[in-house]
Amino acid sequence: MLKDAPIGVFDSGVGGLTVVREIIRQLPSENIVYFGDTARVPYGSKSRDTVIQFSRQIVRFLRTYDVKAIVVACNTASAYALDTLKAQLDIPIIGVVRPGALVAARATRNKKVGVIATEGTIKSGIYASVIHEHDPAIKVLGKACPLFVPLVEEGLLEDAVTDEIARRYLKPLQESDIDTLVLGCTHYPLIRKTIGRLMGEDVTLVNPAYETAISLKRLLQEENIYRSEGEARYRFFVSDAEERFSQFANSILPVDLVWTRMVPIDEY
Ligand code: DGL
């Protein structure tokens, strides 16, 4: 049955697990095949062509598991590769940018939204363009935070170093009067506490993962391929350091991790 086919989810590393976490919470019967490109992370400083090439390889790999839909759980890949992938696929695919941008556009009261993300996502201007589709009067202030991804991949989620770097990155946003801040990289919800503390409680933090899971559910229901009951199976693949990945995943997912395997992704 097509409903039982897994959903393919991918990211450059562990960040997409924040999206998997939301899918598990909101769509608990869906089977998931996850790929984290741990050998080639970060994507945020790479060119559009490279991110497209990596994303296409990953999609080819995920399709060997007959996935029924794909979630690009990476803002950088959503910004650079989603349209290309969509044009080439005959199964539904969604990214994380549009759902997050629309929530931010609806959440802001003073029409000033901050976006923190990778260099690639900020350079693409994609958050501002989706937010402006909703309301062109909203001012969007973007800030690239390239060191956040390696800090998260290193597991330094609550650490003085992360604190210091966040302080520097967030300073211009603290000095602006934004009332909403998008965590525009799937790694960033893992350091949400630090970001929230520095921005203060008057600033609403938007985690696109939450909204992405809602959009995914809606999409699967529309396509009549939503799996609403039964126990789910989760399979995890990486391009490097599978044990390290497993440990990390076990620490943040609300389920026991079954296994993680390494994949020679260059061969796809
Ligand atoms: N977590 C990804 C994102 O949302 C990629 C981070 C990176 O690899 O630079 O953008």
PDB file of all heavy atoms in Angstrom, residues 11-16 40-45 73-77 96 117-119 121 146 149-150 153 184-188, ligand 1:
ATOM      1  N   ASP A  11      18.780  16.309   5.184  1.00  0.00           N
ATOM      2  CA  ASP A  11      19.463  17.538   5.606  1.00  0.00           C
ATOM      3  C   ASP A  11      20.959  17.326   5.392  1.00  0.00           C
ATOM      4  O   ASP A  11      21.408  16.211   5.102  1.00  0.00           O
ATOM      5  CB  ASP A  11      19.175  17.808   7.099  1.00  0.00           C
ATOM      6  CG  ASP A  11      19.905  19.044   7.618  1.00  0.00           C
ATOM      7  OD1 ASP A  11      19.884  20.084   6.940  1.00  0.00           O
ATOM      8  OD2 ASP A  11      20.515  18.984   8.703  1.00  0.00           O
ATOM      9  N   SER A  12      21.727  18.391   5.608  1.00  0.00           N
ATOM     10  CA  SER A  12      23.184  18.272   5.496  1.00  0.00           C
ATOM     11  C   SER A  12      23.773  17.506   6.682  1.00  0.00           C
ATOM     12  O   SER A  12      24.922  17.100   6.633  1.00  0.00           O
ATOM     13  CB  SER A  12      23.793  19.663   5.434  1.00  0.00           C
ATOM     14  OG  SER A  12      23.458  20.381   6.612  1.00  0.00           O
ATOM     15  N   GLY A  13      23.013  17.353   7.758  1.00  0.00           N
ATOM     16  CA  GLY A  13      23.578  16.679   8.927  1.00  0.00           C
ATOM     17  C   GLY A  13      22.497  16.351   9.928  1.00  0.00           C
ATOM     18  O   GLY A  13      21.481  15.748   9.563  1.00  0.00           O
ATOM     19  N   VAL A  14      22.699  16.802  11.178  1.00  0.00           N
ATOM     20  CA  VAL A  14      21.728  16.464  12.228  1.00  0.00           C
ATOM     21  C   VAL A  14      20.557  17.448  12.297  1.00  0.00           C
ATOM     22  O   VAL A  14      19.556  17.173  12.958  1.00  0.00           O
ATOM     23  CB  VAL A  14      22.402  16.384  13.636  1.00  0.00           C
ATOM     24  CG1 VAL A  14      23.443  15.286  13.674  1.00  0.00           C
ATOM     25  CG2 VAL A  14      23.005  17.728  14.048  1.00  0.00           C
ATOM     26  N   GLY A  15      20.680  18.597  11.619  1.00  0.00           N
ATOM     27  CA  GLY A  15      19.646  19.627  11.746  1.00  0.00           C
ATOM     28  C   GLY A  15      18.255  19.153  11.378  1.00  0.00           C
ATOM     29  O   GLY A  15      17.266  19.493  12.037  1.00  0.00           O
ATOM     30  N   GLY A  16      18.175  18.331  10.342  1.00  0.00           N
ATOM     31  CA  GLY A  16      16.865  17.856   9.885  1.00  0.00           C
ATOM     32  C   GLY A  16      16.152  17.007  10.921  1.00  0.00           C
ATOM     33  O   GLY A  16      14.942  16.764  10.812  1.00  0.00           O
ATOM     34  N   ARG A  40      29.523  15.908   4.159  1.00  0.00           N
ATOM     35  CA  ARG A  40      29.666  17.105   3.318  1.00  0.00           C
ATOM     36  C   ARG A  40      29.081  18.366   3.969  1.00  0.00           C
ATOM     37  O   ARG A  40      29.045  19.422   3.351  1.00  0.00           O
ATOM     38  CB  ARG A  40      29.029  16.852   1.952  1.00  0.00           C
ATOM     39  CG  ARG A  40      29.612  15.599   1.286  1.00  0.00           C
ATOM     40  CD  ARG A  40      29.184  15.412  -0.134  1.00  0.00           C
ATOM     41  NE  ARG A  40      27.766  15.111  -0.287  1.00  0.00           N
ATOM     42  CZ  ARG A  40      27.252  14.572  -1.395  1.00  0.00           C
ATOM     43  NH1 ARG A  40      28.028  14.284  -2.417  1.00  0.00           N
ATOM     44  NH2 ARG A  40      25.958  14.330  -1.472  1.00  0.00           N
ATOM     45  N   VAL A  41      28.604  18.223   5.232  1.00  0.00           N
ATOM     46  CA  VAL A  41      28.108  19.391   5.964  1.00  0.00           C
ATOM     47  C   VAL A  41      29.288  20.361   6.164  1.00  0.00           C
ATOM     48  O   VAL A  41      30.416  19.877   6.330  1.00  0.00           O
ATOM     49  CB  VAL A  41      27.521  18.930   7.337  1.00  0.00           C
ATOM     50  CG1 VAL A  41      28.575  18.364   8.269  1.00  0.00           C
ATOM     51  CG2 VAL A  41      26.717  20.026   8.009  1.00  0.00           C
ATOM     52  N   PRO A  42      29.131  21.669   6.096  1.00  0.00           N
ATOM     53  CA  PRO A  42      27.895  22.424   5.933  1.00  0.00           C
ATOM     54  C   PRO A  42      27.548  22.698   4.463  1.00  0.00           C
ATOM     55  O   PRO A  42      28.431  22.775   3.624  1.00  0.00           O
ATOM     56  CB  PRO A  42      28.222  23.739   6.638  1.00  0.00           C
ATOM     57  CG  PRO A  42      29.684  23.945   6.396  1.00  0.00           C
ATOM     58  CD  PRO A  42      30.285  22.559   6.383  1.00  0.00           C
ATOM     59  N   TYR A  43      26.267  22.851   4.215  1.00  0.00           N
ATOM     60  CA  TYR A  43      25.803  23.247   2.888  1.00  0.00           C
ATOM     61  C   TYR A  43      25.752  24.782   2.772  1.00  0.00           C
ATOM     62  O   TYR A  43      25.791  25.326   1.685  1.00  0.00           O
ATOM     63  CB  TYR A  43      24.378  22.729   2.638  1.00  0.00           C
ATOM     64  CG  TYR A  43      24.257  21.271   2.250  1.00  0.00           C
ATOM     65  CD1 TYR A  43      25.337  20.392   2.333  1.00  0.00           C
ATOM     66  CD2 TYR A  43      23.034  20.773   1.787  1.00  0.00           C
ATOM     67  CE1 TYR A  43      25.194  19.059   1.971  1.00  0.00           C
ATOM     68  CE2 TYR A  43      22.893  19.448   1.414  1.00  0.00           C
ATOM     69  CZ  TYR A  43      23.965  18.591   1.512  1.00  0.00           C
ATOM     70  OH  TYR A  43      23.820  17.280   1.145  1.00  0.00           O
ATOM     71  N   GLY A  44      25.648  25.421   3.925  1.00  0.00           N
ATOM     72  CA  GLY A  44      25.357  26.854   3.956  1.00  0.00           C
ATOM     73  C   GLY A  44      26.390  27.726   3.277  1.00  0.00           C
ATOM     74  O   GLY A  44      26.094  28.841   2.848  1.00  0.00           O
ATOM     75  N   SER A  45      27.642  27.238   3.161  1.00  0.00           N
ATOM     76  CA  SER A  45      28.680  28.055   2.535  1.00  0.00           C
ATOM     77  C   SER A  45      28.992  27.559   1.126  1.00  0.00           C
ATOM     78  O   SER A  45      29.914  28.038   0.482  1.00  0.00           O
ATOM     79  CB  SER A  45      29.939  28.005   3.406  1.00  0.00           C
ATOM     80  OG  SER A  45      30.227  26.651   3.730  1.00  0.00           O
ATOM     81  N   ALA A  73      14.511  18.870   4.628  1.00  0.00           N
ATOM     82  CA  ALA A  73      14.558  19.395   5.997  1.00  0.00           C
ATOM     83  C   ALA A  73      15.805  20.254   6.195  1.00  0.00           C
ATOM     84  O   ALA A  73      16.489  20.158   7.216  1.00  0.00           O
ATOM     85  CB  ALA A  73      14.517  18.240   6.991  1.00  0.00           C
ATOM     86  N   CYS A  74      16.093  21.052   5.205  1.00  0.00           N
ATOM     87  CA  CYS A  74      17.278  21.904   5.204  1.00  0.00           C
ATOM     88  C   CYS A  74      16.879  23.185   4.487  1.00  0.00           C
ATOM     89  O   CYS A  74      16.383  23.137   3.352  1.00  0.00           O
ATOM     90  CB  CYS A  74      18.398  21.184   4.444  1.00  0.00           C
ATOM     91  SG  CYS A  74      19.844  22.197   4.125  1.00  0.00           S
ATOM     92  N   ASN A  75      17.062  24.306   5.148  1.00  0.00           N
ATOM     93  CA  ASN A  75      16.668  25.575   4.528  1.00  0.00           C
ATOM     94  C   ASN A  75      17.526  25.895   3.308  1.00  0.00           C
ATOM     95  O   ASN A  75      17.029  26.406   2.307  1.00  0.00           O
ATOM     96  CB  ASN A  75      16.809  26.713   5.536  1.00  0.00           C
ATOM     97  CG  ASN A  75      15.746  26.670   6.609  1.00  0.00           C
ATOM     98  OD1 ASN A  75      14.724  27.336   6.505  1.00  0.00           O
ATOM     99  ND2 ASN A  75      15.953  25.882   7.638  1.00  0.00           N
ATOM    100  N   THR A  76      18.815  25.596   3.416  1.00  0.00           N
ATOM    101  CA  THR A  76      19.724  25.926   2.316  1.00  0.00           C
ATOM    102  C   THR A  76      19.331  25.130   1.066  1.00  0.00           C
ATOM    103  O   THR A  76      19.240  25.685  -0.030  1.00  0.00           O
ATOM    104  CB  THR A  76      21.178  25.601   2.726  1.00  0.00           C
ATOM    105  OG1 THR A  76      21.409  26.110   4.028  1.00  0.00           O
ATOM    106  CG2 THR A  76      22.167  26.202   1.757  1.00  0.00           C
ATOM    107  N   ALA A  77      19.079  23.834   1.246  1.00  0.00           N
ATOM    108  CA  ALA A  77      18.664  23.012   0.102  1.00  0.00           C
ATOM    109  C   ALA A  77      17.268  23.419  -0.366  1.00  0.00           C
ATOM    110  O   ALA A  77      16.970  23.380  -1.565  1.00  0.00           O
ATOM    111  CB  ALA A  77      18.701  21.532   0.471  1.00  0.00           C
ATOM    112  N   VAL A  96      11.235  23.572   3.877  1.00  0.00           N
ATOM    113  CA  VAL A  96      10.918  24.151   5.187  1.00  0.00           C
ATOM    114  C   VAL A  96      10.744  25.670   5.148  1.00  0.00           C
ATOM    115  O   VAL A  96      10.258  26.259   6.104  1.00  0.00           O
ATOM    116  CB  VAL A  96      12.020  23.801   6.227  1.00  0.00           C
ATOM    117  CG1 VAL A  96      11.867  22.384   6.734  1.00  0.00           C
ATOM    118  CG2 VAL A  96      13.415  24.013   5.673  1.00  0.00           C
ATOM    119  N   ALA A 117      19.979  32.464   9.503  1.00  0.00           N
ATOM    120  CA  ALA A 117      20.082  31.298   8.618  1.00  0.00           C
ATOM    121  C   ALA A 117      21.520  31.168   8.148  1.00  0.00           C
ATOM    122  O   ALA A 117      22.399  31.933   8.565  1.00  0.00           O
ATOM    123  CB  ALA A 117      19.142  31.490   7.427  1.00  0.00           C
ATOM    124  N   THR A 118      21.738  30.208   7.259  1.00  0.00           N
ATOM    125  CA  THR A 118      23.085  30.057   6.698  1.00  0.00           C
ATOM    126  C   THR A 118      23.330  31.179   5.689  1.00  0.00           C
ATOM    127  O   THR A 118      22.380  31.841   5.233  1.00  0.00           O
ATOM    128  CB  THR A 118      23.221  28.712   5.966  1.00  0.00           C
ATOM    129  OG1 THR A 118      22.346  28.710   4.847  1.00  0.00           O
ATOM    130  CG2 THR A 118      22.911  27.530   6.878  1.00  0.00           C
ATOM    131  N   GLU A 119      24.578  31.309   5.299  1.00  0.00           N
ATOM    132  CA  GLU A 119      24.953  32.298   4.292  1.00  0.00           C
ATOM    133  C   GLU A 119      24.143  32.100   3.013  1.00  0.00           C
ATOM    134  O   GLU A 119      23.660  33.061   2.423  1.00  0.00           O
ATOM    135  CB  GLU A 119      26.418  32.017   3.933  1.00  0.00           C
ATOM    136  CG  GLU A 119      27.381  33.103   4.279  1.00  0.00           C
ATOM    137  CD  GLU A 119      28.776  32.609   3.924  1.00  0.00           C
ATOM    138  OE1 GLU A 119      29.345  31.866   4.748  1.00  0.00           O
ATOM    139  OE2 GLU A 119      29.238  32.916   2.811  1.00  0.00           O
ATOM    140  N   THR A 121      21.198  30.608   2.503  1.00  0.00           N
ATOM    141  CA  THR A 121      19.772  30.946   2.628  1.00  0.00           C
ATOM    142  C   THR A 121      19.594  32.464   2.647  1.00  0.00           C
ATOM    143  O   THR A 121      18.703  33.005   1.988  1.00  0.00           O
ATOM    144  CB  THR A 121      19.184  30.307   3.907  1.00  0.00           C
ATOM    145  OG1 THR A 121      19.401  28.899   3.851  1.00  0.00           O
ATOM    146  CG2 THR A 121      17.700  30.581   4.042  1.00  0.00           C
ATOM    147  N   PRO A 146      27.059  31.605  10.275  1.00  0.00           N
ATOM    148  CA  PRO A 146      27.727  30.395   9.786  1.00  0.00           C
ATOM    149  C   PRO A 146      28.318  29.482  10.857  1.00  0.00           C
ATOM    150  O   PRO A 146      28.435  28.277  10.621  1.00  0.00           O
ATOM    151  CB  PRO A 146      28.822  30.938   8.855  1.00  0.00           C
ATOM    152  CG  PRO A 146      28.916  32.392   9.135  1.00  0.00           C
ATOM    153  CD  PRO A 146      27.600  32.837   9.670  1.00  0.00           C
ATOM    154  N   VAL A 149      26.116  26.144  12.770  1.00  0.00           N
ATOM    155  CA  VAL A 149      25.988  24.743  12.317  1.00  0.00           C
ATOM    156  C   VAL A 149      27.119  23.868  12.876  1.00  0.00           C
ATOM    157  O   VAL A 149      26.846  22.839  13.497  1.00  0.00           O
ATOM    158  CB  VAL A 149      25.861  24.661  10.773  1.00  0.00           C
ATOM    159  CG1 VAL A 149      26.006  23.218  10.291  1.00  0.00           C
ATOM    160  CG2 VAL A 149      24.500  25.208  10.351  1.00  0.00           C
ATOM    161  N   PRO A 150      28.405  24.266  12.709  1.00  0.00           N
ATOM    162  CA  PRO A 150      29.452  23.428  13.325  1.00  0.00           C
ATOM    163  C   PRO A 150      29.317  23.310  14.836  1.00  0.00           C
ATOM    164  O   PRO A 150      29.599  22.246  15.400  1.00  0.00           O
ATOM    165  CB  PRO A 150      30.765  24.106  12.924  1.00  0.00           C
ATOM    166  CG  PRO A 150      30.419  25.353  12.202  1.00  0.00           C
ATOM    167  CD  PRO A 150      28.972  25.307  11.832  1.00  0.00           C
ATOM    168  N   GLU A 153      26.677  20.687  15.280  1.00  0.00           N
ATOM    169  CA  GLU A 153      27.188  19.371  14.866  1.00  0.00           C
ATOM    170  C   GLU A 153      28.186  18.834  15.894  1.00  0.00           C
ATOM    171  O   GLU A 153      28.321  17.633  16.069  1.00  0.00           O
ATOM    172  CB  GLU A 153      27.845  19.446  13.478  1.00  0.00           C
ATOM    173  CG  GLU A 153      26.871  19.684  12.317  1.00  0.00           C
ATOM    174  CD  GLU A 153      26.078  18.441  11.875  1.00  0.00           C
ATOM    175  OE1 GLU A 153      26.598  17.322  11.995  1.00  0.00           O
ATOM    176  OE2 GLU A 153      24.926  18.612  11.426  1.00  0.00           O
ATOM    177  N   GLY A 184      15.908  30.137  10.734  1.00  0.00           N
ATOM    178  CA  GLY A 184      15.871  29.746   9.331  1.00  0.00           C
ATOM    179  C   GLY A 184      16.913  28.720   8.929  1.00  0.00           C
ATOM    180  O   GLY A 184      17.358  28.698   7.776  1.00  0.00           O
ATOM    181  N   CYS A 185      17.314  27.897   9.866  1.00  0.00           N
ATOM    182  CA  CYS A 185      18.211  26.781   9.582  1.00  0.00           C
ATOM    183  C   CYS A 185      17.778  25.681  10.537  1.00  0.00           C
ATOM    184  O   CYS A 185      17.538  25.946  11.722  1.00  0.00           O
ATOM    185  CB  CYS A 185      19.662  27.194   9.851  1.00  0.00           C
ATOM    186  SG  CYS A 185      20.815  25.808   9.838  1.00  0.00           S
ATOM    187  N   THR A 186      17.657  24.477  10.014  1.00  0.00           N
ATOM    188  CA  THR A 186      17.080  23.417  10.850  1.00  0.00           C
ATOM    189  C   THR A 186      17.986  23.011  12.019  1.00  0.00           C
ATOM    190  O   THR A 186      17.546  22.314  12.923  1.00  0.00           O
ATOM    191  CB  THR A 186      16.738  22.181   9.996  1.00  0.00           C
ATOM    192  OG1 THR A 186      17.890  21.811   9.226  1.00  0.00           O
ATOM    193  CG2 THR A 186      15.578  22.471   9.074  1.00  0.00           C
ATOM    194  N   HIS A 187      19.230  23.468  11.993  1.00  0.00           N
ATOM    195  CA  HIS A 187      20.104  23.215  13.144  1.00  0.00           C
ATOM    196  C   HIS A 187      19.759  24.139  14.333  1.00  0.00           C
ATOM    197  O   HIS A 187      20.031  23.806  15.480  1.00  0.00           O
ATOM    198  CB  HIS A 187      21.573  23.460  12.786  1.00  0.00           C
ATOM    199  CG  HIS A 187      22.213  22.361  11.983  1.00  0.00           C
ATOM    200  ND1 HIS A 187      21.900  22.116  10.667  1.00  0.00           N
ATOM    201  CD2 HIS A 187      23.156  21.446  12.322  1.00  0.00           C
ATOM    202  CE1 HIS A 187      22.634  21.100  10.222  1.00  0.00           C
ATOM    203  NE2 HIS A 187      23.411  20.676  11.211  1.00  0.00           N
ATOM    204  N   TYR A 188      19.227  25.310  14.046  1.00  0.00           N
ATOM    205  CA  TYR A 188      19.116  26.337  15.083  1.00  0.00           C
ATOM    206  C   TYR A 188      18.120  26.045  16.213  1.00  0.00           C
ATOM    207  O   TYR A 188      18.351  26.488  17.345  1.00  0.00           O
ATOM    208  CB  TYR A 188      18.811  27.714  14.476  1.00  0.00           C
ATOM    209  CG  TYR A 188      19.855  28.254  13.518  1.00  0.00           C
ATOM    210  CD1 TYR A 188      19.653  29.466  12.865  1.00  0.00           C
ATOM    211  CD2 TYR A 188      21.046  27.576  13.250  1.00  0.00           C
ATOM    212  CE1 TYR A 188      20.590  29.980  11.966  1.00  0.00           C
ATOM    213  CE2 TYR A 188      21.980  28.085  12.351  1.00  0.00           C
ATOM    214  CZ  TYR A 188      21.746  29.281  11.715  1.00  0.00           C
ATOM    215  OH  TYR A 188      22.661  29.787  10.831  1.00  0.00           O
TER     216      TYR A 188
HETATM  217  N1  DGL B   1      20.489  22.634   8.425  1.00  0.00           N
HETATM  218  C1  DGL B   1      20.635  23.195   7.139  1.00  0.00           C
HETATM  219  C2  DGL B   1      19.801  24.414   6.903  1.00  0.00           C
HETATM  220  O1  DGL B   1      18.716  24.447   7.358  1.00  0.00           O
HETATM  221  C3  DGL B   1      22.011  23.300   6.599  1.00  0.00           C
HETATM  222  C4  DGL B   1      23.059  23.885   7.429  1.00  0.00           C
HETATM  223  C5  DGL B   1      24.376  23.753   6.724  1.00  0.00           C
HETATM  224  O2  DGL B   1      24.689  22.631   6.335  1.00  0.00           O
HETATM  225  O3  DGL B   1      25.057  24.763   6.538  1.00  0.00           O
HETATM  226  O4  DGL B   1      20.147  25.343   6.245  1.00  0.00           O
END
